[in-house]
């Protein structure tokens, strides 16, 4: 799909990730990656709310790094994005399928079609002796969000190729391509991908290699920072620095009382995450007899807290791992080692489907 070098950008509330690479025959070659601070009050819940500042920031970044490439893909997450799985009778013609999807949306989703950009893809065919159906994944994104990205690329004189949402971007990788502890999983397992971001926890469930469920939880690294700031009378920047310096969720007991107090505070925040994650898991399990989560894969900035996988494993009694590699993604051209999970959404957006 992206045989030429392409820029992939994930704008987040706190950090913007930029990746340059190209995809060919299911292989992705990554040549450069960057993290840059997202300017305050320019981005909210997937929407570029201060276009001029974002244009200025990315224009300066592209210029300083001498990036002349024009083709760009974006990925985002937003509580305003709607994803639904529907089942419809099998149809062969594309126009018939599009018409049926639109009818389903009008009937079951509380939205005005003219206010959204809607895409869909076939997840699988369900064939029995009695019927033949299609399982369809629908993604709807408000037009005003899409228009913000189009305006951004137009002013920067870039060529927009695609706009993903993180949950569907990362599922372009099958679970067996995601490597944890230098081991593969297999398609027979049901895995939960947990993107531990600054603003949100993005939870996606993949069952037998097929995306079945996604939820965006309003918790993330910011909650840890805010809690530390309130308890220890710190600014948010000081709280983040304290978190990065002291955070350790292993069973180690430290001589330094301050470090122990910080860790206990962090655990309290993460315990709240766990309660919300377990609610989602219970809902998923209630949808069908036999539904259960076999493994959890972590990625994103907050997954880098030491001991995070082990802590979630212990508290939820589900094997939990941090993604440390992706098959078919070549990072050899990068000047140093990177934490692949920090850039996973942007990398996934380079992959064709």
């Amino acid at each position: 799909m992206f045989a030429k070098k392409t820029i992939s950008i994930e704008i987040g509330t706190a950090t913007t990730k930029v990746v340059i690479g190209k995809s060919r025959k299911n292989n992705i070659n990554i040549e450069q990656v960057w993290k840059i601070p997202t300017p305050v009050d320019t981005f909210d819940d997937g929407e570029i709310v201060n276009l001029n500042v974002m244009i200025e920031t990315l224009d300066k970044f592209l210029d300083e790094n001498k990036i002349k490439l024009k083709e760009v893909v974006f990925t985002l997450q937003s509580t305003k994005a709607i994803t639904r799985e529907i089942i419809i009778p099998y149809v062969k013609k594309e126009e018939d399928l599009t018409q049926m999807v639109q009818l389903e949306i009008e009937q079951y989703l509380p939205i005005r079609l003219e206010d959204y950009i809607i895409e869909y893809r076939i997840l699988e065919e369900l064939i029995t002796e009695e019927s033949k159906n299609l399982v369809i994944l629908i993604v709807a994104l408000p037009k005003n969000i899409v228009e913000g990205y189009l305006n951004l690329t137009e002013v920067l004189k870039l060529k927009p190729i695609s706009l993903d949402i993180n949950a569907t971007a990362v599922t372009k990788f099958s679970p067996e391509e995601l490597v944890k502890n230098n081991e593969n999983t297999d398609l027979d397992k049901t895995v939960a991908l947990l993107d531990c971001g600054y603003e949100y926890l993005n939870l996606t469930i993949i069952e037998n290699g097929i995306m079945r469920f996604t939820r965006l939880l309003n918790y993330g690294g910011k909650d840890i920072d805010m809690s530390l700031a309130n308890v220890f009378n710190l600014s948010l920047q000081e709280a983040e620095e304290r978190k990065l310096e002291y955070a350790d969720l292993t069973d180690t007991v430290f001589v330094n009382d301050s470090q122990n107090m910080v860790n206990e505070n962090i655990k309290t925040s993460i315990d709240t995450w766990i309660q919300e994650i377990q609610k989602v898991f219970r809902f998923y399990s209630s949808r069908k007899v036999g539904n259960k989560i076999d493994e959890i894969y972590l990625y994103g900035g907050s997954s880098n807290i030491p001991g995070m996988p082990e802590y979630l494993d212990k508290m939820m009694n589900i094997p939990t791992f941090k993604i440390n590699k992706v098959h078919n993604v070549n990072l050899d051209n990068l000047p140093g080692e990177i934490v692949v999970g920090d850039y996973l959404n942007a990398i996934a957006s380079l992959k064709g489907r």
Side-chain angles (χ1 to χ4, degrees):
M1 182 176 179
F2 303 112
K4 294 195 297 183
K5 285 185 189 178
T6 303
I7 310 167
S8 180
I9 301 176
E10 179 192 8
I11 302 174
T13 305
T15 306
T16 295
K17 284 95 171 178
V18 183
V19 172
I20 288 180
K22 60 182 177 180
S23 175
R24 182 167 183 156
K25 295 182 179 179
N26 206 38
N27 294 310
I28 301 177
N29 188 57
I30 303 300
E31 300 200 358
Q32 290 173 289
V33 298
W34 296 269
K35 285 183 189 177
I36 59 175
T38 303
V40 177
D41 297 329
T42 60
F43 189 79
D44 179 55
D45 197 12
E47 183 178 358
I48 302 171
V49 294
N50 192 326
L51 183 60
N52 291 333
V53 173
M54 187 59 72
I55 288 169
E56 182 181 342
T57 300
L58 287 178
D59 188 43
K60 180 180 178 182
F61 166 80
L62 294 171
D63 182 60
E64 289 180 346
N65 289 280
K66 298 179 172 56
I67 298 173
K68 304 299 183 183
L69 301 173
K70 294 300 180 184
E71 295 191 343
V72 62
V73 298
F74 289 96
T75 184
L76 64 89
Q77 61 186 16
S78 172
T79 60
K80 298 171 186 174
I82 299 172
T83 60
R84 291 288 188 278
E85 181 184 297
I86 63 172
I87 299 176
I88 61 174
Y90 179 87
V91 290
K92 190 172 184 179
K93 292 183 179 179
E94 183 71 23
E95 57 267 29
D96 293 338
L97 179 58
T98 299
Q99 186 176 10
M100 291 187 69
V101 167
Q102 289 180 340
L103 289 172
E104 289 288 323
I105 292 171
E106 290 174 346
Q107 185 173 357
Y108 294 109
L109 294 185
I111 63 173
R112 290 169 17 120
L113 287 178
E114 58 267 31
D115 294 335
Y116 283 78
I117 301 295
I118 296 168
E119 297 289 344
Y120 64 87
R121 75 169 184 240
I122 299 172
L123 294 179
E124 63 176 327
E125 295 182 6
L126 294 178
I127 302 174
T128 66
E129 293 182 359
E130 295 79 21
S131 64
K132 185 176 182 181
N133 297 311
L134 295 173
V135 181
I136 306 290
L137 176 68
I138 296 172
V139 178
L141 195 61
K143 280 186 178 178
N144 66 302
I145 290 180
V146 178
E147 287 167 355
Y149 282 88
L150 289 174
N151 291 334
L152 177 66
T153 56
E154 182 179 3
V155 176
L156 292 174
K157 297 181 180 179
L158 299 174
K159 180 182 177 181
I161 303 300
S162 67
L163 176 62
D164 271 327
I165 65 170
N166 291 352
T168 57
V170 76
T171 55
K172 293 177 184 178
F173 295 119
S174 70
E176 61 184 355
E177 290 179 277
L178 303 174
V179 182
K180 75 313 183 200
N181 292 358
N182 295 317
E183 294 181 1
N184 296 9
T185 187
D186 58 67
L187 291 176
D188 294 331
K189 290 184 177 179
T190 297
V191 301
L193 304 181
L194 183 61
D195 184 357
C196 305
Y198 180 76
E199 188 92 19
Y200 300 106
L201 299 175
N202 198 346
L203 181 61
T204 304
I205 295 175
I206 302 179
E207 176 188 310
N208 298 325
I210 298 172
M211 174 181 166
R212 289 300 189 195
F213 191 81
T214 182
R215 278 290 183 274
L216 202 56
L217 304 178
N218 194 25
Y219 297 88
K222 75 177 190 307
D223 300 296
I224 297 175
D225 295 348
M226 292 174 66
S227 178
L228 290 173
N230 291 333
V231 171
F232 297 101
N233 194 26
L234 304 169
S235 68
L236 282 176
Q237 182 177 347
E238 290 170 334
E240 184 178 22
E241 290 170 356
R242 192 75 60 89
K243 176 182 69 177
L244 294 174
E245 181 180 2
Y246 286 165
D248 192 331
L249 299 178
T250 63
D251 293 328
T252 304
V253 177
F254 300 96
V255 176
N256 187 318
D257 288 340
S258 294
Q259 189 165 357
N260 284 322
M261 291 172 65
V262 167
N263 279 323
E264 288 305 312
N265 188 273
I266 292 172
K267 285 180 182 179
T268 299
S269 295
I270 294 173
D271 287 344
T272 301
W273 297 5
I274 290 171
Q275 292 172 14
E276 297 303 313
I277 293 167
Q278 288 176 323
K279 288 179 185 177
V280 176
F281 286 173
R282 286 195 293 270
F283 175 76
Y284 168 74
S285 298
S286 71
R287 297 175 76 193
K288 187 175 70 175
V289 175
N291 275 4
K292 68 181 184 70
I293 306 299
D294 295 310
E295 294 180 343
I296 301 171
Y297 291 178
L298 306 179
Y299 63 105
S302 295
S303 71
N304 296 323
I305 295 175
M308 178 71 85
E310 295 80 6
Y311 189 74
L312 266 61
D313 190 321
K314 179 176 70 175
M315 299 301 290
M316 291 194 287
N317 198 29
I318 299 174
T320 303
F321 310 93
K322 185 178 170 185
I323 296 172
N324 54 22
K325 185 180 178 183
V326 183
H327 281 313
N328 304 325
V329 173
N330 178 20
L331 305 174
D332 293 344
N333 291 327
L334 296 176
E337 288 191 21
I338 69 162
V339 180
V340 69
D342 290 359
Y343 301 90
L344 191 61
N345 295 313
I347 291 172
S349 289
L350 290 170
K351 185 174 182 180
R353 190 64 179 176

